[in-house]
Amino acid sequence: MLLNDSSAFKYLRFAILPLLILFSIDRSAATSNRGIFTQLGSTSPSSSPTTVGSINRTSKKTSSHNSLNTDTSSDMTEEKKEACSTGRAAKLARPNVLSLQPYRCARDDYSSGILLDANENALGPASLPTNSLDPYDNGMELERYPCPYQLTLKRLLCDYRNAQVGQTADNGGIQPKNVFVGVGSDEAIDLLIRIFCTPGNTTGGGDAIMTTPPTYGMYKVCANVNDVAIQSVPLTPDFDLQIPEMLQAVTPQTKLIFICSPGNPTAKSIPLSDVRLIASSVNAIVIVDEAYVDFSSVPTATSLVNEFDNVVVLQTLSKAFGMAGIRCGFAIGPADVIQLMNNVKAPYNVNKLTSDAAANALKNTSTLENNIRVLLEQRALMEKKLNELDFIEKVYPSDANFLLFRVKQKANELYKTIADRGIVSRFRGNELHCNECIRVTIGTAEENSKFLEQLEEVYKELTA
């Protein structure tokens, strides 16, 4: 207490503090703008990676991490703007969405400098992913919010998909303005319904979506959650679209038409000519869900995005890319539709860990392509083996990483017994046109062999 009250101590304290601040500002600029208080957070350097705020916690950034943090503020300000007043999206979207003043988060304005604008913790994260703890590597700066629009990731996706269809961003291909990045494609499904469909089904009003069962179940779930009606136009028993029936069923309330291609659980791709016909015939947004497109013989529908102002394509990294755990998906569509999605989405919907892993995958597609080749070989072998079993009535052709097949009887019991023994497939017999059907994902060669062994063994037991 005597020291604190002394005039000498007060003089020294006020004389030295400005110098410390100036020193810390200079150091913070050289250490990725961690901020003044990050550098003052430790009175002495420490070699321990667990000392929060220690100068030694400022880690080296890898080029991968840097690439995700180089989106300029000018790029980001282009992302948040009022909805376009013309075009298909303006005609179909809900009025309250069109008039929405988008929420502006801190990173909409600035993404570099001494960032004291977002109430982040400048001392650094309390922990890191396990593989980054020793040696300590916070190159992604997890204490900072991510880029709200994932511009680097969008560019990588555009380059990859454009190359697949022989296009470039400057020659008819998709551009970052055509891409929304979300938490899997499920976020995009929900957002599109919220943007274009007025609720009111339970009170006899509101808008509707159209589905073509058997199909992915989340369309129905999201519609029900948002109190939106569902118009169902079933596929044929061979899993083809009934286009005349679909067009006849369209009403002024039909705002979204979901086409799953390749289908789930059907595994069948829809020809692009069918998509073109429907898109050119309706005043609705046609959504092509391409979760399994990388296994398909039919090319991606992204080439239609700049041909039609009402086609949106959904894709994901969960299937062929083998990254279901990071939950990353995309909506690829006309710029005015994507603008509305950016306006409505949560500010920081995709985290830095997901973005980093996704970018690495899109930069190194040789692994992806090799895995696809192996899975297609295994799919052909599995199909052959299933067709050799006398109790298999039909194995449906597949453009996906799974096979749908029908057994003569007791499909549900068969599935359940095999699952209880540790090999899990999926019973699909409760879906339209899928009586006594099981869906099995193509696994490793060893996993596939074990499934086939159990399938044959258990069926004999159940029918003995």
Side-chain angles (χ1 to χ4, degrees), residues 144 398 410 414 441 449 458:
R144 301 298 180 190
S398 176
K410 299 187 177 182
L414 182 61
T441 304
S449 294
V458 171

Side-chain angles (χ1 to χ4, degrees), residues 13-320:
R13 182 178 63 184
F14 290 110
I16 293 173
L17 182 59
L19 295 176
L20 288 174
I21 293 175
L22 287 172
F23 174 73
S24 66
I25 291 174
D26 179 66
R27 285 186 62 83
S28 67
T31 53
S32 303
N33 304 306
R34 289 289 302 273
I36 295 172
F37 298 105
T38 305
Q39 303 305 327
L40 296 180
S42 175
T43 57
S44 63
S46 169
S47 61
S48 170
T50 59
T51 304
V52 177
S54 166
I55 291 175
N56 283 343
R57 290 195 61 169
T58 303
S59 57
K60 296 179 180 179
K61 295 181 183 178
T62 65
S63 59
S64 171
H65 298 153
N66 272 331
S67 70
L68 295 176
N69 293 320
T70 55
D71 299 325
T72 64
S73 58
S74 62
D75 283 337
M76 287 190 286
T77 55
E78 294 177 359
E79 295 279 354
K80 276 287 176 70
K81 52 190 177 184
E82 293 183 5
C84 182
S85 59
T86 60
R88 189 75 66 111
K91 295 177 182 177
L92 293 175
R94 296 165 59 186
N96 60 308
V97 172
L98 293 172
S99 62
L100 178 71
Q101 282 294 113
Y103 172 79
R104 290 194 65 81
C105 62
R107 294 301 154 260
D108 277 314
D109 298 318
Y110 295 96
S111 61
S112 61
I114 296 176
L115 300 173
L116 304 177
D117 56 346
N119 301 332
E120 300 154 326
N121 186 339
L123 300 184
S127 189
L128 293 174
T130 302
N131 292 339
S132 297
L133 286 172
D134 187 15
Y136 187 94
D137 179 10
N138 185 29
M140 282 184 279
E141 295 187 298
L142 295 185
E143 70 275 18
R144 301 298 180 190
Y145 285 115
C147 170
Y149 306 107
Q150 308 297 327
L151 295 174
T152 298
L153 190 53
K154 290 179 180 181
R155 294 185 187 107
L156 290 168
L157 179 75
C158 290
D159 290 344
Y160 181 66
R161 291 307 185 194
N162 284 336
Q164 287 185 311
V165 294
Q167 294 179 330
T168 65
D170 298 326
N171 185 28
I174 56 174
Q175 302 177 35
K177 67 180 181 180
N178 299 118
V179 181
F180 167 84
V181 186
V183 183
S185 53
D186 291 338
E187 182 184 8
I189 293 169
D190 183 64
L191 272 180
L192 288 165
I193 291 177
R194 287 161 54 197
I195 289 169
F196 289 101
C197 298
T198 299
N201 181 50
T202 54
T203 57
D207 290 322
I209 69 167
M210 181 179 292
T211 66
T212 58
T215 193
Y216 183 44
M218 282 304 295
Y219 313 142
K220 181 177 179 180
V221 169
C222 290
N224 286 333
V225 167
N226 289 285
D227 196 21
V228 169
I230 303 166
Q231 300 167 328
S232 295
V233 181
L235 299 174
T236 69
D238 290 327
F239 302 144
D240 294 313
L241 294 178
Q242 299 191 78
I243 295 179
E245 289 80 357
M246 291 175 67
L247 298 181
Q248 186 176 6
V250 171
T251 70
Q253 286 71 45
T254 309
K255 295 298 180 67
L256 305 175
I257 299 175
F258 285 93
I259 298 173
C260 196
S261 177
N264 179 12
T266 69
K268 186 169 187 175
S269 293
I270 302 299
L272 293 186
S273 57
D274 285 6
V275 179
R276 281 193 174 91
L277 177 56
I278 294 170
S280 62
S281 303
V282 300
N283 184 32
I285 304 295
V286 179
I287 302 167
V288 186
D289 190 344
E290 291 188 339
Y292 302 95
V293 69
D294 295 295
F295 302 104
S296 177
S297 57
V298 174
T300 174
T302 56
S303 61
L304 304 183
V305 165
N306 289 319
E307 182 179 340
F308 295 93
D309 64 355
N310 63 334
V311 171
V312 174
V313 179
L314 304 182
Q315 295 185 349
T316 179
L317 299 187
S318 296
K319 306 303 179 184

